[in-house]
Amino acid sequence: MECAHSLVHRLSALLLLGGVLIFLRQLRRGPVRYGRYACSKYTIPARWAWFLQELPAFLVPVLLACTTDGSTHGRRLLLCTFTLHYFHRAIVYPLLIRGRPIPAFIVVSSELFCFFNGILQSHTLLHCSAPDLDQDLNQHQHWVYSLRTGAGLCLFALGMILNIHSDHILRNLRRSGETVYKIPRGGLFELVSGANFLAEILEWFGFAVVVWNLPGFSFFFFTVCSIGPRAIGHHRFYLEKFPDYPRNRKALIPFIL
């Protein structure tokens, strides 16, 4: 399959525009209505919701990789960072959570987004190429050690580790059957209220650095716009609900915001 550069650029621009729109929407109307902000009567159990909505972003890259000839092993390895995240989100994470049901429209819209983004990211990596990226990836003896690639992979790995650890802290805040909110403590939560959101942003920043293309940056930008305001909403919620909430803790960026 050949790369459709103009289509990739248009879809990336659409992702950038979507990020701006969802950011403005949350500024005007507050965080997207799921989790503690949910108010829909049509819901899907949390485990099934996460499985269904995240699965396309795992399956689409795997299927494209299995049906694509001619791409370098390096490109497939970079695509593995994307699929690794969504394998955890679609397969592992749903088995661990005990969350609230998620509104059906959130699940459907997230599923469509994951399908769209899975095609965009995997098609770009497998079929499209910037000359400098091809040069790095085809020089098997040292491409892993290039500064940008190494830094991006380290940032992605660090973000994913912090994300999993933050999810672990949140899962263990309440015993089975409890519904009360508690202050998360430990790990990155000592610095920010949205530790899991910061970690995921760090993941996709690392991904954008290592793939070094417009779709990767667009996805990172969309992630910041969609979950950044949610972290700020969580921070305000904690400050209002808990008089003893740590005042030195920021919302999303340690020591700054």
Side-chain angles (χ1 to χ4, degrees):
M1 183 184 293
E2 296 184 359
C3 172
H5 287 287
S6 60
L7 180 60
V8 166
H9 291 159
R10 290 192 185 102
L11 293 178
S12 298
L14 184 62
L15 198 55
L16 291 169
L17 177 61
V20 172
L21 292 177
I22 197 170
F23 178 79
L24 294 176
R25 184 265 179 206
Q26 292 188 92
L27 282 184
R28 293 184 60 188
R29 302 174 59 186
V32 177
R33 301 287 182 175
Y34 69 91
R36 69 190 61 181
Y37 310 106
C39 59
S40 174
K41 63 179 180 179
Y42 301 106
T43 61
I44 297 174
R47 289 184 174 181
W48 280 106
W50 279 98
F51 171 74
L52 292 172
Q53 70 186 24
E54 306 291 317
L55 190 61
F58 171 68
L59 287 183
V60 168
V62 170
L63 291 174
L64 276 180
C66 290
T67 56
T68 296
D69 297 322
S71 60
T72 66
H73 294 299
R75 286 185 169 276
R76 292 175 184 271
L77 181 59
L78 294 189
L79 186 59
C80 282
T81 59
F82 186 85
T83 54
L84 178 63
H85 171 90
Y86 281 104
F87 173 79
H88 176 261
R89 272 286 179 248
I91 307 300
V92 178
Y93 183 71
L95 297 175
L96 301 174
I97 60 172
R98 303 188 301 265
R100 298 167 181 258
I102 298 177
F105 80 93
I106 293 291
V107 176
V108 173
S109 58
S110 297
E111 189 172 26
L112 292 174
F113 172 80
C114 285
F115 181 78
F116 162 80
N117 192 48
I119 290 178
L120 177 61
Q121 303 301 331
S122 53
H123 171 73
T124 304
L125 267 179
L126 294 172
H127 304 136
C128 307
S129 59
D132 58 339
L133 182 59
D134 272 340
Q135 183 177 0
D136 282 346
L137 297 183
N138 287 327
Q139 295 173 357
H140 298 290
Q141 68 272 22
H142 68 78
W143 75 266
V144 174
Y145 303 103
S146 70
L147 179 61
R148 191 186 71 220
T149 303
L153 289 174
C154 288
L155 288 171
F156 178 87
L158 177 61
M160 187 164 185
I161 291 169
L162 290 172
N163 198 358
I164 292 172
H165 182 247
S166 299
D167 287 340
H168 171 77
I169 291 174
L170 291 174
R171 280 197 310 273
N172 289 279
L173 277 178
R174 296 183 290 228
R175 298 186 181 91
S176 180
E178 284 187 329
T179 58
V180 296
Y181 285 100
K182 298 180 180 180
I183 300 175
R185 300 187 185 277
L188 201 54
F189 281 108
E190 295 301 318
L191 298 175
V192 294
S193 299
N196 50 331
F197 302 123
L198 173 59
E200 185 149 345
I201 288 171
L202 182 61
E203 269 189 84
W204 297 124
F205 176 69
F207 177 78
V209 168
V210 74
V211 300
W212 206 249
N213 58 36
L214 181 57
F217 171 78
S218 300
F219 181 35
F220 162 69
F221 178 81
F222 183 91
T223 301
V224 174
C225 291
S226 60
I227 65 178
R230 193 167 183 83
I232 295 172
H234 279 26
H235 186 66
R236 290 173 180 164
F237 172 85
Y238 286 130
L239 288 173
E240 292 171 1
K241 189 171 184 64
F242 301 104
D244 59 338
Y245 194 73
R247 297 294 162 175
N248 61 336
R249 191 179 296 187
K250 298 299 183 180
L252 183 64
I253 304 174
F255 313 113
I256 299 175
L257 175 64

